[in-house]
Amino acid sequence: MNLQQLRYLCAVVETKFNVSKAAERLFTSQPGISKQIQLLEGELGVLLLVRKGNRILGLTPPGEEVYAVAQRMLSDALNLKKIGEEFSAKNEGSLVVATTHLHAGYVLPKIIKKFSELYPHVTVSLRQSDPYQVANWIISGEADIGISATFDESPEELILFPYSTIERSILVPEGHPLVKLKKITLEKIAQYSIISLDASLAGGSGIKQVFENNGLKPNFVLSATDTDVIKTYVNIGHGIAIIPTIAYAKNRDKGLMILDAGGLFPSIPIFIQVRRGKYLRHYMEDFITMVCPNWNGEHLNGVLYNKK
């Protein structure tokens, strides 16, 4: 048995049992992957994969057990490599942050600038997508740290550190009738065409449901995955928008005004996400504490490794 065989097994599972895609990911051949998994099965004395002809349908019960252990072993092997890097090149390396466009564009710029001044030899990469893809990148090891909302049932492989909340406000053109109101209500908002973030993103989720729960059916004319796109359409009078409050900057968003929604829409919790058991290099810990000063290195590792 060797780590390469375990790596092949995990790749097959993570590509939804598509051996061709697993081979592409690992820069090897399909027959090579199939042979190594068969050798692993022979050594363990059990079948790991459910096969039907040339197709793989899933994991057998022992395969599920082996897959779970294989994930831990590969994670530990990667951690050993990271420990070596930590002491041989303490202030050099890479940091991959997975997040949504909202945090990439409005929250992280100043933090990344400060981080890069402290660690000029650490390359920072940003990956932007929805919360589901952010979680997948963290679990697969393609990203070191995630920053986003989560979903109803977060994967067990993730550890979530509470970070902040997303509040939402109403974005309108200057001089819009809503500006004159002392108090904005859902009924008043529903009188106008509405633009929102896509429902797959934290800032756009649940908005329609809020109106429906109050017996209202406003006209949603547009949704987008980027708040800058939304601002463009509000500026041309296509509708008013419900956006995360942090996406507005008065000095930058000329011709637009943001109005307090008065708690009409629920706050959305945001988490820093790390794969369970991951070894955090010291500069990764520093990055997290720059984002969220409440979490220091001792607290982070205490949670990651269940230390008391």
Side-chain angles (χ1 to χ4, degrees):
M1 184 191 310
N2 57 58
L3 287 178
Q4 190 74 325
Q5 292 171 332
L6 301 181
R7 192 171 288 112
Y8 287 170
L9 174 65
C10 289
V12 168
V13 177
E14 290 163 3
T15 54
K16 297 181 179 179
F17 305 100
N18 187 319
V19 179
S20 176
K21 288 185 178 179
E24 289 178 10
R25 176 193 284 193
L26 297 176
F27 303 102
T28 187
S29 66
Q30 295 182 50
I33 286 182
S34 298
K35 180 179 179 181
Q36 289 302 316
I37 291 178
Q38 288 170 3
L39 289 173
L40 178 61
E41 289 177 319
E43 184 173 350
L44 295 176
V46 293
L47 291 176
L48 303 177
L49 300 173
V50 178
R51 299 175 175 87
K52 186 176 182 180
N54 293 325
R55 294 176 58 209
I56 298 175
L57 304 181
L59 287 167
T60 63
E64 292 178 358
E65 298 280 346
V66 171
Y67 172 59
V69 173
Q71 284 182 302
R72 293 197 297 270
M73 291 179 67
L74 291 175
S75 177
D76 286 342
L78 182 59
N79 284 344
L80 289 175
K81 182 179 179 181
K82 294 295 183 183
I83 291 171
E85 293 173 349
E86 175 75 3
F87 287 92
S88 63
K90 193 168 185 177
N91 294 321
E92 298 178 6
S94 63
L95 172 64
V96 181
V97 181
T99 188
T100 63
H101 88 281
L102 185 68
H103 285 83
Y106 298 99
V107 176
L108 294 180
K110 290 182 180 179
I111 294 171
I112 289 177
K113 184 176 186 298
K114 180 181 177 182
F115 177 84
S116 294
E117 290 170 352
L118 288 174
Y119 297 102
H121 299 297
V122 174
T123 302
V124 180
S125 300
L126 285 177
R127 288 194 169 197
Q128 298 166 234
S129 190
D130 58 66
Y132 289 93
Q133 183 59 60
V134 168
N136 287 335
W137 281 329
I138 299 299
I139 292 169
S140 68
E142 295 176 71
D144 300 303
I145 297 167
I147 303 174
S148 80
T150 183
F151 26 95
D152 293 339
E153 294 185 10
S154 295
E156 292 183 0
E157 299 94 328
L158 290 181
I159 292 179
L160 307 179
F161 300 94
Y163 161 46
S164 67
T165 59
I166 286 180
E167 309 298 334
R168 290 175 282 199
S169 297
I170 314 303
L171 186 71
V172 300
E174 287 183 348
H176 191 276
L178 286 178
V179 176
K180 301 176 182 179
L181 298 179
K182 291 183 179 180
K183 182 180 180 180
I184 295 178
T185 64
L186 289 173
E187 288 77 13
K188 293 295 184 182
I189 297 171
Q191 294 176 9
Y192 302 94
S193 296
I194 295 177
I195 304 170
S196 71
L197 274 174
D198 189 85
S200 66
L201 300 173
S205 63
I207 288 178
K208 288 185 179 180
Q209 191 64 48
V210 169
F211 285 102
E212 290 177 4
N213 290 345
N214 286 271
L216 299 170
K217 293 185 178 181
N219 181 25
F220 284 87
V221 292
L222 179 71
S223 66
T225 58
D226 190 315
T227 51
D228 288 332
V229 171
I230 288 174
K231 292 173 187 178
T232 298
Y233 283 87
V234 174
N235 236 329
I236 64 172
H238 191 59
I240 64 173
I242 301 167
I243 65 167
T245 307
I246 59 172
Y248 175 80
K250 185 176 180 179
N251 61 339
R252 182 179 54 196
D253 297 322
K254 303 295 184 182
L256 299 174
M257 295 183 67
I258 199 160
L259 308 176
D260 184 8
L264 296 174
F265 304 97
S267 301
I268 300 172
I270 302 299
F271 299 89
I272 296 172
Q273 305 174 23
V274 181
R275 190 180 69 238
R276 191 176 299 277
K278 179 180 177 61
Y279 177 77
L280 291 177
R281 296 190 62 181
H282 76 285
Y283 61 75
M284 295 178 183
E285 293 179 358
D286 283 354
F287 181 84
I288 291 175
T289 57
M290 287 180 190
V291 176
C292 185
N294 293 334
W295 291 97
N296 60 36
E298 182 179 351
H299 291 151
L300 289 170
N301 284 296
V303 175
L304 284 169
Y305 301 106
N306 296 316
K307 295 177 181 177
K308 295 183 179 180

